[in-house]
Amino acid sequence: MDTSLDSSVADGYRSLSQKARVITEHWASNNLYCAACLSDRLEPLKANTKVVDFCCPECSTRYQLKSKSRSIGNVIANSAYGPKMDAIARGQTPNYLFLCYSPYSWIVTGLFAVPGHFLTPAIVQMRPPLKSTARRAGWVGSNILLGALPPEARVALVTNGHVLPRSEVRQSWSKFAFLGLPESSKGGWGADTLMCIRRIARETGSDRFSLQEFYGRFEGELGVLHPDNRNVRAKMRQQLQVLRDNGVVRFLGRGDYRIV
Ligand SMILES: [Zn+2]
């Protein structure tokens, strides 16, 4: 992966935003690779005006690329809210690649992937409807709260201009790929439960918790985030089992857990 962007590909363009789009897309087509398998390239899909999707020719994993100059920040505006929540409910949220670059030196400074199964109702925020004077009056967009993601949701490919080895990137991706299986990805339950575990560790300063404590802290909150689910406790228990099967928590017996 070469972090320098070729700004000459946008010589014919006037608007700065168009220039940036052409330059970053050109770079992405030549440098992106698949984090989910061993494919060393991704193919751009037919681009519409705003969203560029890339697809792996080997494993068909799809990625949506979002580029920004300077830094990505903790909140990023994204597509329509309703369809996004439907995609989460079905467990079919796209994977994201966030690219940031310096618009002066045209160098990629950061690139990280967020696997789609980390997008949960807790991470997607509804934006106010567009004003009646807007061209798409009443349209409701969404924000992705990147700052609220657990650390393992960010799979870094480039950090501070430093390119990480592909093997390391693929390892970080595959470690939590089980959250993308239907039993955890539907509704974003797996990632939400993982987030609760990270929070309990942060808030208590301990790597141990009991099932009762887990219910007590998060049952109400998860119930609000998943209004269609009638049995939140059963779902929490099921997801703790998935996390246990994948070595994230250990079951100590008598309803006690340890975070690995
Ligand atoms: Zn692939």
Side-chain angles (χ1 to χ4, degrees):
M1 183 178 276
D2 177 1
T3 55
S4 48
L5 296 153
D6 182 0
S7 60
S8 71
V9 296
D11 278 350
Y13 292 85
R14 279 215 175 144
S15 111
L16 284 178
S17 64
Q18 266 185 333
K19 260 184 196 288
R21 188 175 55 79
V22 170
I23 294 167
T24 52
E25 279 173 23
H26 177 263
W27 181 86
S29 301
N30 288 309
N31 287 278
L32 289 181
Y33 61 90
C34 187
C37 78
L38 294 174
S39 171
D40 281 331
R41 64 198 178 90
L42 293 181
E43 284 170 355
L45 295 170
K46 231 181 172 68
N48 60 29
T49 47
K50 282 206 168 141
V51 180
V52 200
D53 281 339
F54 285 83
C55 187
C56 172
E58 302 290 333
C59 74
S60 305
T61 296
R62 283 174 78 146
Y63 302 84
Q64 211 177 86
L65 176 69
K66 305 275 288 174
S67 307
K68 253 182 113 182
S69 61
R70 296 175 195 94
S71 76
I72 293 289
N74 283 330
V75 178
I76 196 155
N78 201 234
S79 53
Y81 179 78
K84 174 148 276 128
M85 295 305 276
D86 291 343
I88 291 175
R90 292 195 310 271
Q92 289 173 355
T93 326
N95 305 297
Y96 289 86
L97 282 163
F98 296 99
L99 168 76
C100 66
Y101 58 92
S102 159
Y104 308 110
S105 55
W106 290 109
I107 293 278
V108 172
T109 51
L111 175 66
F112 62 92
V114 175
H117 46 260
F118 279 107
L119 258 87
T120 73
I123 297 298
V124 179
Q125 186 182 52
M126 188 195 282
R127 280 162 63 196
L130 293 184
K131 293 202 181 88
S132 56
T133 48
R135 194 167 50 85
R136 289 183 296 168
W139 184 82
V140 179
S142 64
N143 285 327
I144 298 180
L145 307 177
L146 290 174
L149 286 169
E152 41 277 276
R154 288 178 185 241
V155 177
L157 288 79
V158 178
T159 310
N160 297 326
H162 169 71
V163 180
L164 281 91
R166 288 178 192 211
S167 55
E168 211 173 284
V169 171
R170 287 173 174 142
Q171 214 174 3
S172 314
W173 179 284
S174 66
K175 207 168 159 194
F176 285 89
F178 66 89
L179 293 173
L181 298 173
E183 62 174 344
S184 294
S185 70
K186 277 188 187 161
W189 271 99
D192 269 352
T193 308
L194 178 66
M195 243 182 317
C196 292
I197 284 177
R198 295 296 176 238
R199 250 175 63 194
I200 208 167
R202 216 170 42 235
E203 288 165 11
T204 63
S206 163
D207 62 353
R208 285 173 190 234
F209 64 90
S210 72
L211 189 58
Q212 286 310 318
E213 190 185 355
F214 204 63
Y215 289 154
R217 276 176 184 263
F218 303 115
E219 187 182 6
E221 199 176 316
L222 289 172
V224 171
L225 290 170
H226 301 273
D228 296 336
N229 196 288
R230 301 257 170 265
N231 198 342
V232 173
R233 285 192 174 200
K235 203 71 198 173
M236 290 167 87
R237 231 170 20 245
Q238 178 208 39
Q239 293 306 312
L240 279 173
Q241 267 163 29
V242 173
L243 292 173
R244 180 201 62 190
D245 293 344
N246 287 280
V248 179
V249 293
R250 197 163 289 162
F251 187 42
L252 303 174
R254 288 201 220 102
D256 286 325
Y257 290 81
R258 189 162 71 80
I259 303 163
V260 179

